[in-house]
Amino acid sequence: MKRNFSHVFLISLVLFLSGAVWAQDSVYTNSTGMEFKRIPAGSFVMGKFLPPYPRPSVESGNASSQANGYREGDYKLAEELAKKDAMPGFTATIEKSFYIGRFEVTQGQWKKIMGTNPSVFQGKKVPDDANRHPVERVTWADVQKFLAKLNQLEKGRKYRLPTEAEWEYAARAGATEDIPWSKIRQSAQIGLRSTSIVGQKAPNAWGLYDMLGNVWEWVEDYYNEKIFADSISPKSGSEHVLKGASFTGDVKNATYMTHAAGPGNGWDVGFRVVMETKE
Amino acid sequence: MRTFLLVLLICTVSNTHAQNSIPRGFARIFNEQDLNGWHISRTSHQGTTPDCRVEDGAIVLREHPYGQGGILLSNKKYKNFELYLEARIDSFSNGGIFLRSTESGQAYQIELSEPGGTGSLFGEMLRVSKTADASGRSKVWKPNDWNSFRIRMTGDTPHITLWINEVKMWEVQEPVNDFIAGATKGMIGLQSHWSATYGPNVAEFDMSGSWRPGAAHRFRNIAIRELK
């Protein structure tokens, strides 16, 4: 009995320690209170565009009585255009694991680092604790200043914005197709009149919150003025890419794939941070 | 010689006037040549890469690529103004004239939708307190032809009036300014609606009726009179 007990104890200890080591690897909280989740290296298909097109309803049979107002020939034209414009996408490879913020950077965290709060949705504009709402009305250049200060404070760590590929890979969390509307509504703060406290909706499969909705998120890449990213991002440009849509968005653009760009409205534009792994 | 010049001047002026239906006191905000002074919203849910071009002195909006619409915005923001423009819209394609639009296209909207709700007032990504219908539109509307819109918008709390083909459709005093970040000025926008998602099996209903394939909305003689 005693021997059995010690076995159980040893096994429990090993499990506990391995769990602790794994947990240390998997999540990290810095001195500013920013929580990160480790994302493994991997690859996914980016920019696959296969727009659905309508077919005539079998019941009505008569094109002139279709609810969408399509006339004879319109269905054929829709199919032709949808097939002509379709794109296979390309494989984006994330060579190295990285840590990404489990939440959007909050107003409280911005204040701690920068000593200011540029956000519109604070004070009487929100019904609850604005410090836990995402910071907004930050330009890409403002975010670079935040990151420079954060890197100074947290010695030995390298913080930066995610690349667009890293962001979309983390947002998809293994999903190969774009996100269905019902799932967007579960996970995204959309169709609202202000930002919300971060982390209130369902996380994605990798435990990340508000990847869609709440605030648009800046990424590292310059904008290519196309519907989706290219396999190689432009080396220069006038605007940077925004991902994930905001509380003003809806099921059309609060998706993994949406490839938007600045300046946006300002008051619904924020970001989350990547911390590089020490590999 | 003087008489000849005077006659020539009168002829020129009257001829120009015949082609130019813009009311007196309005300044063009579209130069009929190119899209200088305008830009595409890169954060609209309608799409970020619409086909916007100038054809025969008119701005023409189409979807691009298939299923993706978008919004063309004036670079300049306006607060109190009268906007004049002429629109020719294909049927079964949903668009709109945006007023005091934000960069992502959150705006008071005059609907452009035939057959249907052309001239209605409501919001694009904006809950508008007081909406309106242009119920008298059928008496003046010319299907598949150019129709003029004159829209007057004033006040911190918007007061909006619409005339179609110079016949007053409605006048609305909003009870509050519906813009969530408190904007009292914004851009003029022209919209083509999205009609398909990026991929299959994500949508819960068919949006193909929002923009018939190949449809276009055309706008010409776009001019504004800023008010105090």
Side-chain angles (χ1 to χ4, degrees):
Chain A
M1 187 66 192
K2 196 181 175 187
R3 196 172 161 175
N4 274 350
F5 177 78
S6 60
H7 268 158
V8 170
F9 176 77
L10 271 176
I11 289 164
S12 303
L13 187 69
V14 167
L15 281 175
F16 173 77
L17 285 175
S18 63
V21 168
W22 183 84
Q24 210 174 18
D25 262 350
S26 161
V27 293
Y28 176 81
T29 303
N30 71 10
S31 66
T32 313
M34 298 165 75
E35 292 178 37
F36 294 85
K37 182 85 201 290
R38 187 180 175 127
I39 305 296
S43 63
F44 72 106
V45 174
M46 205 170 177
K48 185 174 75 178
F49 182 60
L50 279 175
Y53 51 87
R55 279 114 173 138
S57 129
V58 179
E59 281 165 26
S60 64
N62 180 359
S64 64
S65 67
Q66 299 288 316
N68 57 12
Y70 279 28
R71 297 176 302 206
E72 213 178 330
D74 285 340
Y75 286 97
K76 198 160 176 282
L77 180 60
E79 182 177 352
E80 278 171 20
L81 291 173
K83 286 182 173 169
K84 177 176 74 70
D85 291 344
M87 293 180 277
F90 58 89
T91 299
T93 303
I94 309 300
E95 305 274 2
K96 204 179 152 195
S97 68
F98 61 96
Y99 286 92
I100 193 163
R102 291 182 65 214
F103 308 99
E104 290 160 339
V105 172
T106 63
Q107 295 180 29
Q109 290 162 352
W110 182 277
K111 285 198 295 198
K112 252 188 206 174
I113 302 293
M114 304 299 281
T116 56
N117 186 3
S119 307
V120 166
F121 293 98
Q122 56 171 311
K124 285 180 185 166
K125 287 221 172 240
V126 293
D128 42 27
D129 182 6
N131 283 323
R132 293 162 64 205
H133 282 240
V135 69
E136 21 84 10
R137 207 163 61 166
V138 287
T139 65
W140 193 89
D142 293 337
V143 171
Q144 298 308 312
K145 287 176 195 160
F146 173 93
L147 290 166
K149 282 205 165 181
L150 185 63
N151 277 314
Q152 265 179 0
L153 282 170
E154 305 265 344
K155 296 273 187 235
R157 291 286 184 178
K158 171 85 178 15
Y159 295 92
R160 58 172 172 79
L161 280 175
T163 64
E164 183 175 4
E166 285 171 339
W167 187 98
E168 192 170 320
Y169 178 62
R172 285 173 176 268
T176 52
E177 301 302 326
D178 210 1
I179 182 170
W181 289 2
S182 57
K183 224 172 148 191
I184 296 173
R185 295 195 194 96
Q186 288 164 18
S187 63
Q189 302 282 8
I190 51 172
L192 299 168
R193 290 178 61 81
S194 79
T195 56
S196 298
I197 287 177
V198 298
Q200 302 296 295
K201 287 273 189 166
N204 73 6
W206 290 351
L208 308 175
Y209 291 85
D210 302 311
M211 290 301 290
L212 308 176
N214 218 8
V215 287
W216 285 100
E217 298 183 15
W218 288 115
V219 295
E220 191 65 32
D221 311 55
Y222 279 111
Y223 182 54
N224 62 357
E225 306 204 357
K226 296 178 187 173
I227 182 169
F228 299 121
D230 293 303
S231 56
I232 297 168
S233 292
K235 287 201 164 52
S236 61
S238 56
E239 286 294 346
H240 289 86
V241 173
L242 288 168
K243 295 290 275 185
S246 76
F247 64 88
T248 69
D250 72 355
V251 289
K252 168 59 172 44
N253 65 348
T255 87
Y256 310 135
M257 294 180 68
T258 296
H259 169 76
N265 295 328
W267 43 259
D268 61 351
V269 176
F271 67 109
R272 80 178 63 216
V273 169
V274 152
M275 184 182 80
E276 293 186 354
T277 51
K278 290 179 169 177
E279 278 172 2
Chain B
M1 185 62 184
R2 229 182 237 179
T3 313
F4 171 73
L5 279 178
L6 191 64
V7 168
L8 185 71
L9 184 70
I10 290 167
C11 285
T12 310
V13 168
S14 60
N15 191 34
T16 307
H17 186 73
Q19 288 172 4
N20 179 3
S21 44
I22 294 173
R24 198 169 289 177
F26 283 61
R28 283 183 184 277
I29 56 170
F30 160 52
N31 65 17
E32 302 185 293
Q33 308 291 319
D34 55 40
L35 294 174
N36 271 343
W38 297 78
H39 69 282
I40 291 165
S41 167
R42 304 300 193 184
T43 38
S44 166
H45 73 133
Q46 302 294 353
T48 52
T49 54
D51 180 352
C52 302
R53 62 178 74 187
V54 179
E55 289 175 1
D56 300 327
I59 291 176
V60 185
L61 293 191
R62 295 183 181 91
E63 286 191 335
H64 179 263
Y66 176 78
Q68 301 297 309
I71 304 167
L72 184 69
L73 295 167
S74 65
N75 292 349
K76 191 174 166 184
K77 291 181 177 180
Y78 301 92
K79 181 178 181 181
N80 299 322
F81 59 88
E82 261 186 53
L83 171 71
Y84 176 90
L85 60 78
E86 293 157 17
R88 200 179 93 202
I89 57 172
D90 288 347
S91 57
F92 296 103
S93 50
N94 182 298
I97 303 163
F98 286 13
L99 310 169
R100 292 190 184 171
S101 179
T102 70
E103 185 60 39
S104 75
Q106 188 176 57
Y108 285 91
Q109 176 182 192
I110 307 292
E111 174 84 337
L112 298 177
S113 177
E114 287 299 316
T118 298
S120 297
L121 170 71
F122 46 79
E124 164 84 353
M125 313 311 276
L126 183 71
R127 280 176 227 165
V128 168
S129 300
K130 201 169 170 187
T131 58
D133 288 323
S135 49
R137 172 181 53 96
S138 57
K139 289 178 191 155
V140 298
W141 188 255
K142 294 175 278 179
N144 301 311
D145 201 350
W146 293 98
N147 290 274
S148 77
F149 289 76
R150 185 157 60 89
I151 304 150
R152 185 184 169 96
M153 184 172 197
T154 56
D156 288 349
T157 307
H159 186 130
I160 312 170
T161 313
L162 170 70
W163 293 263
I164 293 180
N165 292 330
E166 290 305 323
V167 175
K168 187 173 165 182
M169 294 289 125
W170 45 256
E171 183 170 0
V172 167
Q173 172 64 61
E174 295 297 343
V176 294
N177 180 12
D178 294 300
F179 282 108
I180 51 179
T184 54
K185 61 178 183 176
M187 296 166 257
I188 303 298
L190 304 170
Q191 176 221 43
S192 59
H193 205 288
W194 71 275
S195 63
T197 50
Y198 300 135
N201 308 321
V202 298
E204 284 162 14
F205 47 84
D206 178 10
M207 284 292 288
S208 62
S210 298
W211 199 271
R212 200 158 51 74
H217 282 195
R218 295 172 170 82
F219 301 91
R220 71 179 186 193
N221 289 330
I222 309 170
I224 215 157
R225 183 162 74 102
E226 290 193 74
L227 306 168
K228 283 187 179 167

